[in-house]
Amino acid sequence: MTRTPPRLVATALGSIVAITALAGCTPAAEPPASIPTATAAPETDAASDLDGTLAALETEYDARLGLAAIDTRTGEVLEYRADERFAFASTYKALAAAAVLDRTTDTELDAVVPVEQSDLVTYSPITETRVGAGMTLRELADAAVRFSDNTAGNLLFDALGGPAGFDAALEEVGDDTTVASREETALNDWQPGSEDDTTTPLAVARALEAYAVGDALDDGDRQQLREWLVGNTTGDALIRAGAPEGWMVGDKTGSAAWGTRNDIAVVWPPDDEPYVLAVLSSRDDAGADAEYDDALIADAARVAIAELERVRGE
């Protein structure tokens, strides 16, 4: 297995756009009303310390770790194996839901989609109760993001024109890295070295930033996406566990073969602009049935957030 040297880089965002407060949530702190224009952030000499800490986590958990963390106020970007490929697993569901929001009117979003017995795949806790009755696209997106319902994920794919349509939607927000090839549950049968159904930490972080913080969605759709992310029921032990108490986190988790465990998130400090994190991991030498440890994702997020806060405070 080839591993490229991790690195910490700083880039400036091309533009920063207004961020609206989440409706229907009562977190400790609402997302800020606006984000000032970012300026170029200087290179930091903390790269070796951060890299060493994350490398130690890889050793501790016997896993390969990839991380991209974006400060949407300053433009600072932390990268560790950020251009290496990992299976995206169920993290795609947040981006597919965002793409559906972008491509539909409210009327279309609230139209009922049939749910048939033949549609059901493994792990479909919401859609399996709606066979014959159907669900609206809005309900399917909610089920996919908040409950990681696999059948709902496939029906979102269908609404976008399949994996190829999902790929095309990502390209519209600047992601020409992610490769979507299959639907659920085959997309989780990733093989190390394959590009099928993979992304990189930086690509998925940038796509999430575009949809959930940037202007890829209009205000109402962005607000809806954030509500789904903040309402996620599967992420308590991952990035949420690594965030300081009182911060608001909206995330989407994923897991796949070869010990793949991922989480992507928007993380709001109290009274400040958010960070966007993508923490992806796999155990490429441990076999297709290798287990994962959620604590790796939480520990990596904790390290990244601390470094982002340190740099932001300079």
Side-chain angles (χ1 to χ4, degrees):
M1 176 175 58
T2 300
R3 294 184 177 180
T4 57
R7 65 192 184 280
L8 173 67
V9 300
T11 62
L13 294 178
S15 62
I16 304 295
V17 296
I19 182 170
T20 56
L22 273 167
C25 299
T26 55
E30 293 293 330
S34 62
I35 303 175
T37 301
T39 56
E43 293 285 347
T44 173
D45 60 5
S48 60
D49 292 341
L50 181 69
D51 290 351
T53 301
L54 295 178
L57 289 178
E58 289 184 308
T59 299
E60 178 181 353
Y61 290 99
D62 187 26
R64 179 173 63 110
L65 177 67
L67 180 144
I70 303 167
D71 184 335
T72 66
R73 170 154 68 83
T74 68
E76 187 81 14
V77 183
L78 308 184
E79 296 186 32
Y80 185 87
R81 304 196 194 284
D83 293 322
E84 293 188 19
R85 287 192 173 274
F86 295 79
F88 51 65
S90 284
T91 62
Y92 83 87
K93 292 168 183 168
L95 306 182
V100 167
L101 285 170
D102 185 42
R103 296 191 173 190
T104 57
T105 65
D106 285 344
T107 298
E108 292 167 335
L109 198 61
D110 291 322
V112 174
V113 176
V115 179
E116 307 295 344
Q117 187 69 36
S118 58
D119 294 323
L120 294 182
V121 296
T122 302
Y123 195 78
S124 299
I126 308 301
T127 52
E128 68 185 9
T129 70
R130 302 295 294 274
V131 171
M135 297 174 67
T136 67
L137 267 178
R138 190 186 302 272
E139 290 172 331
L140 288 168
D142 179 275
V145 178
R146 296 204 304 120
F147 298 95
S148 209
D149 188 294
N150 284 334
T151 298
N154 281 345
L155 293 173
L156 292 183
F157 273 141
D158 291 349
L160 294 170
F166 174 58
D167 243 330
L170 292 181
E171 289 178 3
E172 291 176 7
V173 296
D175 177 4
D176 58 3
T177 299
T178 299
V179 177
S181 305
R182 299 166 293 180
E183 295 192 353
E184 297 282 7
T185 57
L187 65 84
N188 297 309
D189 294 329
W190 171 72
Q191 295 291 323
S194 171
E195 290 193 355
D196 289 339
D197 306 304
T198 63
T199 189
T200 67
L202 187 58
V204 72
R206 286 297 193 193
L208 181 61
E209 178 191 25
Y211 283 127
V213 181
D215 60 358
L217 298 177
D218 64 29
D219 290 349
D221 288 342
R222 188 185 315 113
Q223 177 178 303
Q224 176 65 90
L225 176 62
R226 291 179 186 166
E227 289 181 359
W228 288 331
L229 292 168
V230 172
N232 177 35
T233 64
T234 66
D236 286 352
L238 289 93
I239 289 176
R240 292 170 188 257
E245 184 176 357
W247 289 29
M248 184 168 68
V249 177
D251 74 312
K252 182 67 200 81
T253 61
S255 59
W258 294 88
T260 295
R261 189 54 164 160
N262 305 332
D263 200 13
I264 62 174
V266 183
V267 181
W268 284 274
D271 304 317
D272 209 340
E273 291 81 5
Y275 302 120
V276 176
L277 272 67
V279 187
L280 312 183
S281 68
S282 63
R283 301 186 64 210
D284 300 1
D285 300 323
D289 296 329
E291 297 182 355
Y292 58 76
D293 193 331
D294 289 347
L296 169 60
I297 308 302
D299 285 347
R302 188 175 297 110
V303 168
I305 290 170
E307 178 63 11
L308 287 166
E309 285 281 276
R310 185 194 69 78
V311 175
R312 181 180 275 190
E314 288 184 343

